[in-house]
Structure formats: C-alpha cells, structure tokens
Amino acid sequence: MTTQFHRFSAIATGAAVLLVLQGCSTYVSKGITDDGKATEVVFPNIDNDAWLKEGTFPNLDNLRAVAPGVTKDQLYDLLGRPHFREGIAGPREWDYIFHFRKAGGGVTTCQYKAIFDKDYRAQTFHWLPAGCGDVLAARAVPAFERPITASPTAPRRTTLGADGLFRFDGSSMADLLPQGRRNLEALAGDIRGSFKATDAVKVTGHTDRLGSQAYNNALSLARANTVRDYLVQAGVPAQKIQVQGKGESESKVHCAQTARADLIDCLAPNRRVEIEVFEER
C-alpha cells in the first residue's frame, strides 16, 4: 500500500548505525530555506568530515528514482545512509560519495547532496563536479532489449500482489511476509530450473494512486529491488536481472470509492510486482 507512514526508526536499525550517524549536526550549505533550497551549496570535505571515506557504487536505477518530495525514509531505502556525520533526524542536508565505472576503464568519484525542506522532504539535489549528474542520462541496454539472432519466445510473466508480498507500507527484505517469501522461493526455483546463459529477467514494481508520485515511484522501485535481491540470494544470476519502478503509471483498475478502506481494497490489483523471464530458443 502507498499510504505514507514515517518508517525511519524501522529502517535505521541497530545502535551501531545510530551512533555513527548521530555525530554533530552540521549545516554545511548556507541559507537553507523552508522549501529546500540553499543560497550557497557547500560540499563537506571527504578527508575531514566523511565517516565512509571509501564511498559506494550506487544503483543507477535507484538514483534515477530520486525526485523532489522523497522523504528521508525513501532516500535511505534508495541510496543508503549518508556518508558524512550530519546526523539523521534533524539535519536538512545529506551527503554521499559515489563512484561510477568509466566505459574505457577506471572510476569517477563524485559527491552528491540532497537538501530537505522544513518537512524533511528532499527538494534539491547537487553534484560535485557538476557534470557527474550526466551519468544518469546514460543507460545500458538490458539483454532482453537487444536485438538477437535467435527466435525469442514471449516472456514468461508472473504477477505477485504487493499486499501478499510485503507488510503494510513495507518494501525491504525484512518487510517480506512469510507467504511472500514462499512465493518468491517457488518463483526462483522455477527460474533456476530452465534458466540459460542467454536468458534475462525483468522485475517491475507498481503501486496504486494513493500518495504522491515521487513516493509511489520510490516505493515501486524499492519493492522491485527487494524482489531482485531475493532472487539473487536464491541463485538467479544478478547480472541477468533488471529492475524498474513504474509507480502508479500503469494501473490495471480505476476506482472511485469515497470510503478510504473500500478504495484501498478496490485498488489492490494495481499494487503488484511483475516478473518477466525472457528466454531464447
């Protein structure tokens, strides 16, 4: 379901993580306004201020899902905890160190900043160097979208209702319901049983229309990523799986109930994760 509940305490589990992140709440940028803008964007010093100096290699699909209006919970789900000692609950900016592999070899290192409004929703995003954001425009063509010489078969499609997979408003591995785990285990076994080196899998998350577009985009992608991670743990090759979140954009049903409970029930078919297995003969 897409009703917005604040789940941050459930995400930021573990005293060790909290101790690392609470640190000193500093405002590096100048003049942060109520609507999440800064009169002067200032990036922290990696050597002096970062607790995770080595940074991370982010999931590009997750980065593309970041949009104005995402909450700290959603940003945490998509990108992980911030890499600088800015604290978690109060600060109005989060900073990351991201690495991207170059096409010809080597690695580019960039800093990424999200600035939050007074309600702690990220509204503006900044890169250092500025050109680092260009990496989001590049997209590798997945195996199932490439021209192939063999005759392809129609993809095998499986649709799993999100309500049966995840706890209410949940999207992480910990939020998977027992029956959801059993369904994913059965699906993974089916994929492994006939999977060939040339095959590919696409996992697509969908939501209903309740909640903001940014929230639904982030939730649908987070759930697709969790399904992907489960399949990988169950033995499906990670490099053969592509994930995407389509939010509320591909509804199966349209409902007009006025009572919220009835509307939520009616919209259930729209809350789903679709898995397609692309096979070659």
Side-chain angles (χ1 to χ4, degrees), residues 43-65:
F43 285 87
N45 184 283
I46 293 177
D47 293 332
N48 296 337
D49 302 321
W51 69 268
L52 188 65
K53 293 179 173 58
E54 63 271 26
T56 58
F57 286 84
N59 181 300
L60 288 180
D61 286 328
N62 285 14
L63 265 176
R64 294 186 182 104

Side-chain angles (χ1 to χ4, degrees), residues 68-124:
V70 297
T71 65
K72 287 190 173 183
D73 292 351
Q74 295 159 3
L75 197 62
Y76 189 104
D77 276 340
L78 291 168
L79 304 181
R81 56 192 184 273
H83 299 159
F84 292 78
R85 294 182 179 90
E86 297 162 321
I88 279 203
R92 297 272 301 282
E93 55 188 343
W94 276 8
D95 288 271
Y96 294 87
I97 305 164
F98 288 148
H99 306 296
F100 304 100
R101 300 198 182 278
K102 300 177 182 178
V107 172
T108 297
T109 297
C110 305
Q111 286 183 247
Y112 180 74
K113 178 188 292 289
I115 296 180
F116 301 90
D117 62 21
K118 63 181 178 61
D119 298 317
Y120 299 106
R121 292 180 176 274
Q123 298 294 349
T124 56

Side-chain angles (χ1 to χ4, degrees), residues 118-146:
K118 63 181 178 61
D119 298 317
Y120 299 106
R121 292 180 176 274
Q123 298 294 349
T124 56
F125 309 91
H126 308 273
W127 290 95
L128 182 71
C132 284
D134 295 343
V135 70
L136 299 181
R139 177 177 175 268
V141 180
F144 47 77
E145 293 182 8
R146 297 173 191 152

Side-chain angles (χ1 to χ4, degrees), residues 178-229:
Q179 185 58 49
R181 290 178 180 273
R182 288 191 287 271
N183 290 341
L184 288 177
E185 189 61 40
L187 176 64
D190 179 61
I191 294 174
R192 289 196 310 267
S194 60
F195 203 81
K196 300 185 293 293
T198 54
D199 293 344
V201 179
K202 180 166 70 171
V203 181
T204 305
H206 301 268
T207 69
D208 60 27
R209 61 178 172 82
L210 303 178
S212 70
Q213 183 177 14
Y215 179 87
N216 290 335
N217 288 342
L219 179 62
S220 64
L221 181 59
R223 286 179 165 176
N225 276 323
T226 295
V227 170
R228 185 269 312 275
D229 293 345

